[in-house]
Amino acid sequence: MAVKQSEQYQLVIRSLSDRIVEAQAPIRVLDAIKWDDGIRDRFFRDGCRKLPEVGPDYYKRRPLSFDPAERLQVFQDIERDITRQLGTFNPVGQIMRRMCREYRMVLRMIEGRGTAEFGRISQELYGSASDAFHAGDPTITDLGIMLTESLSNIGNDLGREPKTIAAPEAVAILQEQMDKVFPDDQTVRVFESDGIVADAAAGADYIKIRSDAMFNQRDLKILAVHEGMVHVATSLNGQHQPICTFLAKGPPSSTVTQEGLAILMEVITFASYPSRLRKLTNRTRAIQLAESGANFLDVFDFYRGEGYSEEDSYNNASRVFRGSSSDGLPFTKDLAYLKGFILTYNYIQLAVRQGKLQQIPLLFCGKTTLEDMRTLGQLVEEGLVVPPRYLPEPFADLNALSAWMCFSGFLTNLSLDRIEADYANIL
């Protein structure tokens, strides 16, 4: 049994943790790399046949709201002080030092906007479509293609509901749901925004809805589950940490866990649907195309070939090349959805198999990273980390979740090819 740590030790951790939170505050990656509406307007004026003029000069005309060199120094100073005050092998110190290193990489990536360096650092932080999970295993691209093939027999029109809910009504519906999910935090706001590429995005205590987006009830269910019950919940749980306040903020390594949990939640709450899964596999395939040399027009045409409108094809292709040039290496953050789902599912599956159920809720105690989970368990015992205040229903009921995982693990061992032959006469 771990011993409770002294008050002085807790104050040192809290002080260093707060410095990381404060140091990362000005860094807004998506704001730094997004394209302005003028790029979109010119692309459509040119008949969708001319590469957007995006390169280093474009980003130079879009100054940052912070000085990357100054921030690099701040993180270097914090990392030095972590080692001085906690030593080299202190578990909390190791997590915080890694966070400092990641944020320094993020800053170097932002400094490299429009150059090949941007894409290379993106691959270091978020991975590449050609990454495998184990030696000899399929790559992320292979898994995306396999999932696409599984979906190919399901028509695109299955359950396609018209999008009749405009942004103002969507805001009202989601706000009512968030008030129920977070009864103690009535500060969780849902509001309209013009400045986002996606239909919606979550922040620390809010969900933004794009003003011109249209939704159906299924879309709103996914937003409530994905953005609200995972992204906002983990932010709030991190904010409620009394000592390890760094858990409120997610470096790139936590993106994989975050998006993996969000997609898993969509699946086990029956919120997801085939065209939603296609959207995620297409993001992986689009990144793979760009890593193989495809430019913005090639990826735009790929999306058109998948049946997307010109407007949606532009939005999807610009997600791939934001921060880069229109013929450069991609921004690979969107690999986190498929990669995170597989890694997080496997983690929970193994936790159930090994009887370590108490580890599962800790995924929600803040912006966690899978490699830190054992350490976080120890930190809870030491009183340095508190369990999550908000847990979505499937994770609050470990009896039901473990039963679901046991059945799931058992069924994956059955040979579907043999079963298909046996069932040929009845299906």
Side-chain angles (χ1 to χ4, degrees):
M1 181 71 184
V3 295
K4 296 286 181 185
Q5 298 292 346
S6 72
E7 191 174 336
Q8 178 57 35
Y9 177 69
Q10 292 181 0
L11 287 172
V12 170
I13 299 280
R14 171 71 195 240
S15 171
L16 292 165
S17 184
D18 284 348
R19 284 173 65 188
I20 292 175
V21 172
E22 185 183 349
Q24 63 78 51
I27 306 169
R28 291 286 172 266
V29 176
L30 299 186
D31 286 345
I33 66 175
K34 68 184 179 185
W35 295 359
D36 63 46
D37 289 342
I39 298 290
R40 174 201 303 267
D41 296 341
R42 276 193 297 279
F43 182 75
F44 284 107
R45 267 205 313 275
D46 292 333
C48 305
R49 295 315 319 148
K50 195 173 170 189
L51 273 181
E53 291 180 13
V54 178
D57 291 342
Y58 168 74
Y59 294 105
K60 280 177 191 159
R61 295 193 298 270
R62 295 176 62 80
L64 300 166
S65 59
F66 59 91
D67 178 359
E70 180 268 339
R71 288 291 98 183
L72 279 165
Q73 187 60 53
V74 168
F75 280 110
Q76 201 151 341
D77 292 345
I78 297 170
E79 188 174 347
R80 180 200 62 216
D81 289 346
I82 291 168
T83 305
R84 281 179 180 172
Q85 296 177 38
L86 297 176
T88 304
F89 301 111
N90 178 277
V92 193
Q94 288 178 331
I95 292 175
M96 290 195 287
R97 273 209 310 277
R98 191 194 67 234
M99 288 181 75
C100 289
R101 286 195 295 272
E102 281 192 44
Y103 281 123
R104 290 214 306 274
M105 284 178 71
V106 167
L107 288 163
R108 290 204 310 277
M109 181 180 76
I110 290 172
E111 282 186 310
R113 292 180 302 172
T115 71
E117 187 69 1
F118 175 89
R120 283 196 289 268
I121 296 177
S122 170
Q123 288 177 332
E124 274 191 69
L125 287 169
Y126 302 103
S128 161
S130 58
D131 291 347
F133 292 96
H134 301 285
D137 272 12
T139 65
I140 299 171
T141 297
D142 294 334
L143 290 164
I145 291 168
M146 286 157 61
L147 192 51
T148 301
E149 288 170 354
S150 298
L151 294 165
S152 63
N153 289 331
I154 304 171
N156 274 326
D157 293 326
L158 179 68
R160 183 175 280 182
E161 301 155 27
K163 295 178 185 286
T164 57
I165 303 171
E169 188 184 351
V171 165
I173 293 168
L174 277 173
Q175 185 67 67
E176 187 181 346
Q177 289 177 304
M178 292 304 99
D179 290 345
K180 288 177 186 168
V181 174
F182 305 109
D184 305 331
D185 273 282
Q186 295 295 328
T187 53
V188 176
R189 298 167 300 131
V190 185
F191 57 89
E192 290 182 53
S193 172
D194 290 323
I196 53 175
V197 175
D199 288 346
D205 58 358
Y206 62 82
I207 299 174
K208 296 191 288 193
I209 302 292
R210 204 177 76 231
S211 300
D212 60 351
M214 297 292 291
F215 304 88
N216 55 38
Q217 288 293 348
R218 194 178 286 275
D219 295 330
L220 296 182
K221 184 178 180 183
I222 280 195
L223 289 177
V225 166
H226 185 116
E227 308 292 352
M229 296 180 197
V230 175
H231 293 331
V232 174
T234 50
S235 290
L236 293 176
N237 288 335
Q239 286 171 24
H240 287 124
Q241 292 295 336
I243 297 158
C244 291
T245 53
F246 62 80
L247 283 168
K249 300 299 173 186
S253 59
S254 71
T255 305
V256 170
T257 314
Q258 278 290 298
E259 299 302 353
L261 278 175
I263 299 302
L264 183 60
M265 271 290 291
E266 290 182 25
V267 172
I268 61 181
T269 58
F270 288 93
S272 200
Y273 51 96
S275 56
R276 166 68 174 164
L277 294 179
R278 276 195 197 93
K279 180 189 279 190
L280 302 180
T281 57
N282 283 336
R283 285 178 183 173
T284 301
R285 292 168 67 196
I287 288 170
Q288 187 270 328
L289 286 171
E291 286 185 328
S292 303
N295 63 26
F296 181 91
L297 280 177
D298 298 324
V299 174
F300 175 82
D301 289 339
F302 160 73
Y303 273 108
R304 290 293 287 134
E306 290 294 308
Y308 289 80
S309 69
E310 287 188 344
E311 186 73 22
D312 286 342
S313 296
Y314 174 87
N315 288 339
N316 288 323
S318 61
R319 280 181 77 107
V320 175
F321 290 94
R322 55 191 167 165
S324 183
S325 60
S326 54
D327 59 355
L329 285 170
F331 180 51
T332 58
K333 177 176 175 284
D334 278 348
L335 295 175
Y337 296 91
L338 207 53
K339 180 180 177 181
F341 170 72
I342 292 164
L343 291 174
T344 308
Y345 171 85
N346 286 342
Y347 176 81
I348 295 170
Q349 184 79 261
L350 287 170
V352 170
R353 183 185 295 182
Q354 295 179 14
K356 297 177 179 176
L357 300 183
Q358 73 284 356
Q359 288 287 107
I360 297 172
L362 296 184
L363 288 162
F364 285 88
C365 67
K367 302 298 184 186
T368 58
T369 299
L370 279 177
E371 66 185 85
D372 295 335
M373 294 314 299
R374 176 182 284 190
T375 303
L376 288 175
Q378 293 168 353
L379 298 181
V380 169
E381 288 184 17
E382 292 173 9
L384 295 172
V385 169
V386 297
R389 178 181 295 196
Y390 300 111
L391 262 181
E393 210 168 286
F395 287 87
D397 185 354
L398 289 179
N399 281 313
L401 183 67
S402 55
W404 192 88
M405 282 290 174
C406 284
F407 273 115
S408 172
F410 163 71
L411 292 172
T412 55
N413 290 321
L414 299 177
S415 167
L416 206 56
D417 289 338
R418 263 189 240 149
I419 293 169
E420 188 174 19
D422 291 345
Y423 280 42
N425 293 327
I426 61 172
L427 186 61

